[in-house]
Amino acid sequence: MGNNKSFEETLDEAILFATIKHKGQTRKDNTPYIKHPLSVSLNVLKYYDGDDLETVLISSLLHDTLEDTNATKDEIVTKFGDKVYRMVKELTSDKIVQKTLGKEKYLSLKMKNMSEDALTVKLCSPTV
C-alpha cells in the first residue's frame, strides 16, 4: 500500500475515500451507494483465497470510484498506490463500449480478460 501506512490505516482511508466520493449517490433500490462497495468487500473477505488480500480488498472498496465519481487516477495512486489503481482501472467499465456491445456481451468479454484477482472482485459483487 502507499505511504508506509498500516493495512488498517489504509483500509480506513479507503472506506472514507469511497464514502466521500459516493456521497449523495444511491443505488436503483434507493439505498446509499456506499453499501454496494462495502458489500463487495465483505464478500471478498469471505471468498478471496489469493495472496494479495490487501490490494484486492482496497480495490473492492474503490472499484466504482473511477467509473461513477470524480475520483482521479492521481488521487488513487497517491493514496493507495499504483497496484490498487491498476486493479480499480481493470474493474472500471467503459460505458461507451458497453453501450455499443450491450451490457451482457461487454461484461462477458471484459471478464474473460480480467486478472484472477479482479475477476474475484467482480464475482463478489451482488450485481455482476
Side-chain angles (χ1 to χ4, degrees):
M1 298 290 111
N3 300 334
N4 296 322
K5 294 178 186 168
S6 72
F7 175 56
E8 291 78 15
E9 290 170 321
T10 304
L11 184 60
D12 287 346
E13 189 172 347
I15 293 168
L16 181 60
F17 183 84
T19 300
I20 290 168
K21 291 299 183 179
H22 289 295
K23 184 177 182 179
Q25 295 178 341
T26 56
R27 301 284 288 175
K28 289 178 184 173
D29 64 359
N30 288 323
T31 59
Y33 197 94
I34 191 60
K35 285 186 169 185
H36 169 69
L38 290 172
S39 175
V40 174
S41 68
L42 289 174
N43 284 334
V44 165
L45 283 171
K46 185 175 181 179
Y47 296 111
Y48 182 70
D49 66 354
D51 60 0
D52 197 3
L53 179 61
E54 291 182 17
T55 299
V56 175
L57 187 58
I58 299 302
S59 298
S60 72
L61 288 163
L62 305 178
H63 77 273
D64 281 336
T65 56
L66 289 175
E67 185 175 336
D68 294 331
T69 77
N70 65 353
T72 66
K73 173 185 178 178
D74 289 342
E75 283 179 298
I76 294 173
V77 169
T78 299
K79 292 177 181 295
F80 307 104
D82 191 59
K83 196 172 183 182
V84 167
Y85 168 74
R86 287 192 316 268
M87 185 171 294
V88 171
K89 181 71 175 159
E90 188 176 0
L91 290 160
T92 300
S93 292
D94 183 325
K95 291 181 180 185
I96 294 169
V97 176
Q98 182 175 320
K99 189 173 184 176
T100 303
L101 294 176
K103 187 173 184 176
E104 186 175 315
K105 184 173 184 176
Y106 174 78
L107 286 176
S108 175
L109 290 170
K110 184 170 180 63
M111 290 169 71
K112 192 181 298 186
N113 294 307
M114 278 184 174
S115 67
E116 190 173 311
D117 285 348
L119 184 59
T120 297
V121 173
K122 189 69 175 165
L123 294 175
C124 282
S125 177
T127 54
V128 172

